[in-house]
């Protein structure tokens, strides 16, 4: 099948590459000429395990191409996926300017019937707008060309997106014609050989499904963080509470991981966008509002613990040398959007502290996000960051950080203290080496201050 992909960001590049891997003829279209030039050389602009190998292989075999010209990508295409960004505007709405631009480009360039599929995360009702934008451009051309519009939300997890696409737990499509549904089922058939995970529904329900799914996962994270904060105050250990709660098959342990809050390109934006949609339709989304507010507070939990520790030890935050392990919002990605570590580094630098940061993959993106901050240095190796530091803040649970050399850390950290923002370290194990660890959701002397 010949496929056009509008947008070569995280969703578009993974989608296009994985469709090409199944033998489809895919052309990805992007307005960024420099990015397209890199992609043509097989250079991925994002870090995603397994993606670069597939990218190179499919370019080599001629199944995957890149262009800045919409008409080139749409030539003979049966399906055109819109995979552009939908950033959050200041009032919480999803910004659809790039979706509109892609839709209008399709209307200007299409020469025959094409199924246009919204894969970007978009508010309910966006498919109707896409249909209108395309029709408007066709009208300007005086062209009477039939087309269909569908919704096919993505459910990819950064860090495992290729595996998620190749072996999806479900494929959701929203269509308003049997022809569109049949075409999408044919396209996805190689990915769902038993056919049991393909869900066809109306377009608005498909659009809503993505927002509902992400908001549910964000709710679980904010819930366990709320419980963690209560545990610290009542003398309970959230690590034990989590196991007891998660053993209930109706609840489970997934996304019940207390820590320093969620970040990334999806959860913060989607929770707020869905809340905004609800408000626009006269409904106050109390749970969504609470989820967002809890998370905003949780993003600063390590800062609060640092401040309490400094006061307890007669220190000033401005005098501290702070090592930070992890800058990405989660492991196996270089995405730092709304990452807890970014807020920590920015705030500690503003207060006058020295920050020594390390991340296996996200350093470049963090430098771009933070700019030139005073007293902030970036290090290629984790123990370079901790050399000469007072304390260590674990902000992302990359595998190399999960079982560090505690003996070495005890020699390097003058304050002998670790702030465990991802609850990875065992208290007793750390004490063997003279280290004090402060996890999230575990009572300590800091909460009594």
């Amino acid at each position: 099948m010949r496929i056009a992909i509008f947008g070569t960001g995280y969703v578009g590049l993974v989608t296009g590459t994985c469709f090409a891997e199944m033998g489809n003829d895919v052309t990805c279209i992007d307005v960024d000429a420099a990015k397209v030039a890199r992609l043509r050389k097989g250079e991925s602009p994002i870090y995603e395990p397994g993606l670069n190998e597939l990218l190179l292989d499919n370019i080599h075999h001629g199944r995957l191409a890149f262009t800045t010209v919409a008409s080139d990508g749409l030539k003979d295409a049966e399906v055109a996926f819109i995979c552009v960004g939908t950033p959050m505007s200041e009032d919480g709405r999803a910004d659809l300017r790039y979706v509109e631009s892609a839709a209008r480009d399709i209307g200007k360039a299409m020469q025959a019937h094409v199924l246009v599929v919204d894969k970007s995360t978009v508010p309910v009702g966006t498919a109707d707008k896409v249909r209108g934008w395309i029709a408007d451009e066709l009208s300007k051309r005086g062209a009477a060309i039939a087309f269909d519009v569908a919704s096919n939300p993505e459910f990819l997890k950064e860090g495992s997106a290729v595996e998620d696409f190749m072996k999806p737990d479900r494929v959701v499509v929203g269509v308003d014609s049997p022809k569109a549904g049949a075409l999408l089922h044919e396209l996805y058939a190689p990915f769902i050989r038993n056919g049991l995970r393909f869900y066809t529904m109306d377009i608005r329900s498909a659009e809503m499904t993505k927002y509902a799914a992400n908001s549910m996962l964000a709710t679980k994270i904010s819930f366990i963080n709320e419980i963690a904060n209560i545990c610290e105050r009542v003398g309970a250990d959230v690590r034990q509470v989590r196991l007891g709660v998660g053993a209930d098959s109706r609840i489970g342990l997934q996304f019940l991981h207390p820590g320093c809050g969620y970040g990334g390109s999806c959860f913060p934006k989607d929770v707020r966008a869905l809340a905004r949609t609800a408000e626009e339709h006269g409904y106050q989304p109390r749970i969504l509002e609470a989820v967002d507010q809890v998370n905003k507070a949780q993003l600063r939990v390590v800062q609060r613990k640092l401040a309490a520790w400094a006061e307890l030890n007669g220190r000033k935050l401005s005098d501290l040398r702070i090592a930070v392990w992890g800058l990405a919002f989660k492991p196996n990605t270089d995405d730092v959007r709304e990452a807890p570590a970014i807020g920590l580094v920015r705030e500690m630098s503003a207060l006058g502290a020295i920050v020594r940061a390390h991340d296996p993959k996200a350093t470049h993106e963090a430098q771009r996000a933070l700019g030139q901050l005073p007293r902030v240095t970036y290090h290629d190796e984790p123990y370079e960051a901790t050399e000469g530091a007072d304390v260590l803040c674990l902000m992302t649970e990359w595998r190399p950080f999960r079982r560090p050399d505690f003996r070495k850390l005890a020699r390097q950290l003058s304050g002998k203290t670790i702030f465990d923002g991802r609850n990875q370290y065992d208290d007793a194990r750390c004490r063997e080496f003279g280290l004090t660890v402060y996890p999230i959701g575990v009572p300590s002397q800091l909460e009594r201050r």
Side-chain angles (χ1 to χ4, degrees), residues 423-439:
N423 283 18
Q424 295 295 305
Y425 301 146
D426 179 76
D427 314 37
R429 178 68 171 159
C430 289
R431 284 196 297 270
E432 290 177 15
F433 299 95
L435 291 166
T436 300
V437 61
Y438 292 105

Side-chain angles (χ1 to χ4, degrees), residues 396-407:
T396 315
E397 64 276 30
W398 286 92
R399 286 180 179 175
F401 303 160
R402 295 181 185 182
R403 292 295 180 267
D405 185 339
F406 289 117
R407 184 175 283 105

Side-chain angles (χ1 to χ4, degrees), residues 47-277:
Y47 173 72
E48 183 64 39
L51 178 60
N52 214 60
E53 296 83 353
L54 291 182
L55 179 69
L56 285 167
D57 186 64
N58 283 284
I59 291 172
H60 174 73
H61 286 95
R63 294 187 296 265
L64 182 60
F66 299 91
T67 183
T68 58
V69 182
S71 57
D72 291 347
L74 280 170
K75 185 178 180 181
D76 301 324
E78 298 171 75
V79 186
F81 283 88
I82 297 178
C83 302
V84 297
T86 53
M88 183 174 58
S89 59
E90 291 184 3
D91 63 0
R93 291 186 179 93
D95 186 342
L96 296 179
R97 76 180 81 173
Y98 304 116
V99 175
E100 179 178 0
S101 179
R104 290 190 178 279
D105 284 346
I106 292 170
K108 292 173 184 176
M110 61 184 291
Q111 298 298 321
H113 179 277
V114 64
L115 170 60
V116 180
V117 183
D118 285 329
K119 204 164 187 65
S120 300
T121 302
V122 293
V124 176
T126 299
D128 295 334
K129 294 180 179 180
V130 167
R131 194 187 310 274
W133 291 324
I134 295 172
D136 183 50
E137 294 301 327
L138 288 172
S139 176
K140 291 177 183 177
R141 293 168 51 193
I145 303 173
F147 66 95
D148 285 296
V149 176
S151 173
N152 172 218
E154 54 86 13
F155 299 100
L156 307 178
K157 300 185 295 292
E158 291 191 50
S160 60
V162 172
E163 183 179 359
D164 289 346
F165 200 101
M166 300 301 284
K167 299 177 181 178
D169 52 16
R170 84 281 208 193
V171 174
V172 172
V173 299
V175 297
D176 59 6
S177 76
K179 181 179 179 180
L183 192 58
L184 287 171
H185 190 275
E186 178 186 349
L187 179 60
Y188 277 106
F191 300 93
I192 46 168
R193 298 298 294 273
N194 60 19
L196 298 178
R197 302 186 302 276
F198 189 88
Y199 299 95
T200 304
M201 58 188 71
D202 66 87
I203 293 175
R204 288 189 171 230
S205 294
E207 291 171 332
M208 183 67 177
T209 297
K210 174 59 187 289
Y211 277 118
N214 276 359
S215 295
M216 181 68 245
L217 297 175
T219 298
K220 291 188 74 172
I221 295 171
S222 281
F223 174 80
I224 197 62
N225 282 333
E226 186 95 286
I227 296 300
N229 293 332
I230 297 171
C231 283
E232 289 182 353
R233 288 155 177 79
V234 302
D237 186 334
V238 75
R239 297 170 298 186
Q240 299 178 42
V241 173
R242 169 185 175 268
L243 295 175
V245 171
D248 188 324
S249 61
R250 298 169 301 175
I251 300 172
L253 288 169
Q254 285 191 317
F255 287 84
L256 282 184
H257 297 284
C260 49
Y262 59 75
S265 62
C266 294
F267 288 4
K269 173 175 69 72
D270 293 352
V271 168
R272 294 167 199 164
L274 182 55
R276 183 66 183 181
T277 297

Side-chain angles (χ1 to χ4, degrees), residues 302-317:
V302 174
Q303 288 93 308
R304 293 196 297 272
K305 289 180 181 291
L306 269 169
W309 181 86
E311 181 184 351
L312 181 67
N313 289 275
R315 303 284 298 274
K316 294 181 179 179
L317 285 173

